[in-house]
Amino acid sequence: MESCNRFCQKLKSAYEEKLAPDIKLNPKSFWGHVSAKNTNHHTIPDLVDHPVLHSSPIDTADLLSAQFGSAFTQNSRTSLPDPPLHEVLFPMPNLSVSEVMVFNSLGKLDVNKSKGPDSVHSCFLKEG
C-alpha cells in the first residue's frame, strides 16, 4: 500500500512539475488543476430579511426573486425625468438613402458571417 501511495505521489509531482512551466502558455490547464483542488463549494449564504434569517433554499429563492423583480420592473414612462437640454455643437447633416443604395449594400453582405445585433442572418437579407 505504501508503494502505491508513493507511486501516486510521484505521478502527482511529475504532473505539477510539467504544469508549472506551461502556465503562461496554457493557463486553462493550471486553473483546471486549481479548481479541482479547491474543496470550497460556492453556495448562496443564509440571507437576512430584517429581522428574519432565511436559510432554506426555497426561502432564499423567493427572497432573491422578490429583490430582482423589484429592481428590474419597468416603471411607467410618466415617472421618467425630462432629459437635460444641451446645445447642439455639430448638427447632423440631412441624410438621404435611396432604394438603390440599400440594394447595393445588401448585395455586399457576406453570408458566411454570423448574425448581427438584430439577430437576423445576412443570407435572409441578401436573398430576400
Side-chain angles (χ1 to χ4, degrees), residues 67-123:
Q67 176 62 34
F68 286 124
S70 69
F72 294 107
T73 301
Q74 289 186 353
N75 297 328
S76 66
R77 294 211 176 258
T78 58
S79 65
L80 293 176
D82 292 330
L85 297 175
H86 295 288
E87 180 183 349
V88 178
L89 299 176
F90 303 101
M92 192 170 159
N94 291 335
L95 186 61
S96 175
V97 179
S98 70
E99 189 176 330
V100 174
M101 292 168 66
V102 172
F103 183 76
N104 289 340
S105 295
L106 289 175
K108 294 177 185 176
L109 289 175
D110 186 354
V111 295
N112 297 317
K113 298 279 184 169
S114 62
K115 299 176 188 177
D118 57 0
S119 297
V120 177
H121 202 281
S122 59
C123 67

Side-chain angles (χ1 to χ4, degrees), residues 51-72:
V52 181
L53 177 69
H54 297 278
S55 59
S56 78
I58 293 174
D59 290 344
T60 302
D62 290 341
L63 189 61
L64 289 174
S65 175
Q67 176 62 34
F68 286 124
S70 69
F72 294 107

